[in-house]
Amino acid sequence: MNDVSRADYRATYLIETPFPLEQAAEVLAGEQSSGTFVRVAGETDDLRARSRAVVTSIQQLGESAIPSLPNAYLERRGVGGPYKQARITVSFPIDNVGANLPTLAATVGGNIYDLGEMTGVKLLSLDLPPDYVRQFDAPRHGVAGTRALTGRDAGPILGTIIKPNVGMTPADTARTVAGLCAAGVDFIKDDEVMANPPHSPLAQRVDEVMRVINDHAQRTGRKVMYAFNISDDLDAMRRHADLVASAGGTCVMASLNWCGFSAIQALRRSTPLALHGHRNGLAMMSRHPALGIDFQAYQALWRLAGVDQLHVNGLGGKFYESDDSVVASARACLTPMAGGDAVMPVFSSGQWAGTVPATFAALGGQDLIFLSGGGILGHPDGPAAGVQSIRDAWEAATAGIALPEFARQRPALAQALAFYG
């Protein structure tokens, strides 16, 4: 391991291997920079000094008699355990990549997963120098801009999800939106599998929904943010974003993993709208503890693409993720990169008034979008009571008062606790 004096960024990994840790770490560093840990023709000392990734730390964590992942490379060679786990940090030359987001992602998360020496590899985090970060597209709006666009200067931004993919027409969707605006939500979004289907064409949905939202804004002075799902090919996304902007909309949503870095970067450069990043599919890259990418590294890459809001799941929700993991994800979003604005974390999945106290206690603040589907739409007294129950819960949490006690004077919260609790 060497000191590095050139301009570098660092990536930290969890690795598992039956080989000596130093050897396996050098294989990873070589594969993602100068090509191999064995010198080849033309690989001079000067070339290696300029382009070779350097392993800067290795911390052994433990070992197992059983590999985390299958490995035919090792089977062919008759190599068995024990399989050692370690956290390693690798320093990569910025000049190998430049301000090229797809290539940055390919460098820190490409062929590392194919390496025969490994029975587990997970990208845990990225440490990017401020001067390097500033070469990319920062979030245009982030936390401060999202608050400005929703007119919610303090407290959580409360929202819900409409699933028009179940067959709702644009007119049906607009009627639901009208009820939600009247109920007092700040934010509404399409479902991730709802984009531009024949039964609800996006152009018609935008027209119908924005007519309702604009009318509500004229009456109240506050415009509800609607995140229209425009996930599609890049040309279509640009057209759809222009359509939303011309109708007076403030936000569009994209399924990040399926649209890709380049498309999101191009969309960020072509629209003034807030970009709502939906992470659906991330679990296939993060759920296994010894494979894929941790959210800390994931969110860093998407922030370079210019996403303003990013899903983090929710506490006590319906998905597999632990509460500690969700909180760590939200904190990562709220940590500024290179002095820029933070990204607004989006809590969703089984959220209702009862999950508020733990969310506030863990996050220590209210910079978040709190999405509640059934917790609002399923409230026995209607959506307005659902919204009020959640606002009551946030008021109780910030005051340090237990929900049952606070609910004695708040009927919407009392009903929520009795119905969902």
Side-chain angles (χ1 to χ4, degrees), residues 127-411:
D127 183 4
L128 307 172
D131 288 345
Y132 184 51
V133 171
R134 281 189 282 268
Q135 297 180 55
F136 292 87
D137 299 294
R140 189 184 300 277
H141 297 283
V143 172
T146 298
R147 286 196 174 282
L149 289 171
T150 57
R152 182 66 63 182
D153 295 334
I157 294 173
L158 300 189
T160 191
I161 309 99
I162 294 181
K163 294 184 179 286
N165 47 295
V166 299
M168 293 170 63
T169 66
D172 293 333
T173 304
R175 280 191 290 271
T176 301
V177 169
L180 289 169
C181 288
V185 299
D186 307 309
F187 181 97
I188 306 168
K189 78 171 200 62
D190 284 334
D191 193 61
E192 68 273 12
V193 298
M194 176 64 186
N196 191 25
H199 75 270
S200 184
L202 181 66
Q204 187 178 349
R205 196 164 77 250
V206 169
D207 180 65
E208 300 258 9
V209 167
M210 286 312 304
R211 186 180 301 119
V212 167
I213 288 177
N214 289 332
D215 287 347
H216 178 78
Q218 286 184 342
R219 292 193 306 272
T220 65
R222 291 186 63 250
K223 178 173 283 190
V224 172
M225 177 175 279
Y226 193 108
F228 291 96
N229 183 2
I230 63 169
S231 302
D232 209 319
D233 67 74
L234 176 57
D235 290 339
M237 287 200 295
R238 283 172 167 158
R239 291 195 306 270
H240 295 158
D242 289 345
L243 182 69
V244 172
S246 66
T250 57
C251 185
V252 289
M253 181 181 104
S255 292
L256 301 178
N257 299 317
W258 315 118
C259 293
F261 290 116
S262 297
I264 299 302
Q265 280 186 302
L267 180 63
R268 156 67 175 80
R269 294 167 185 168
S270 64
T271 182
L273 301 174
L275 300 186
H276 183 89
H278 202 297
R279 75 182 208 179
N280 60 88
L282 172 61
M284 70 178 178
M285 298 181 277
S286 65
R287 188 166 184 172
H288 195 289
L291 179 65
I293 179 171
D294 186 80
F295 187 85
Q296 199 284 342
Y298 178 85
Q299 62 86 32
L301 293 170
W302 285 111
R303 288 169 71 169
L304 296 181
V307 168
D308 296 295
Q309 305 158 8
L310 192 55
H311 280 245
V312 298
N313 280 340
L315 272 62
K318 63 183 181 181
F319 293 144
Y320 81 95
E321 194 173 3
S322 71
D323 287 355
D324 288 344
S325 176
V326 172
V327 172
S329 297
R331 288 175 177 165
C333 288
L334 291 169
T335 301
M337 289 177 64
D341 192 13
V343 171
M344 185 68 91
V346 181
F347 283 70
S348 62
S349 160
Q351 302 305 285
W352 66 289
T355 62
V356 167
T359 303
F360 177 73
L363 200 58
Q366 301 180 72
D367 281 337
L368 77 162
I369 296 174
F370 190 85
L371 297 184
S372 182
I376 288 176
L377 296 167
H379 193 286
D381 291 336
V387 173
Q388 187 59 53
S389 72
I390 296 172
R391 294 209 187 280
D392 290 344
W394 279 98
E395 186 178 346
T398 56
I401 302 173
L403 293 189
E405 179 182 349
F406 201 76
R408 292 172 186 166
Q409 304 299 323
R410 302 298 176 98

Side-chain angles (χ1 to χ4, degrees), residues 90-106:
V90 180
S91 189
F92 294 91
I94 287 175
D95 283 349
N96 282 8
V97 177
N100 183 324
L101 184 52
T103 304
L104 172 63

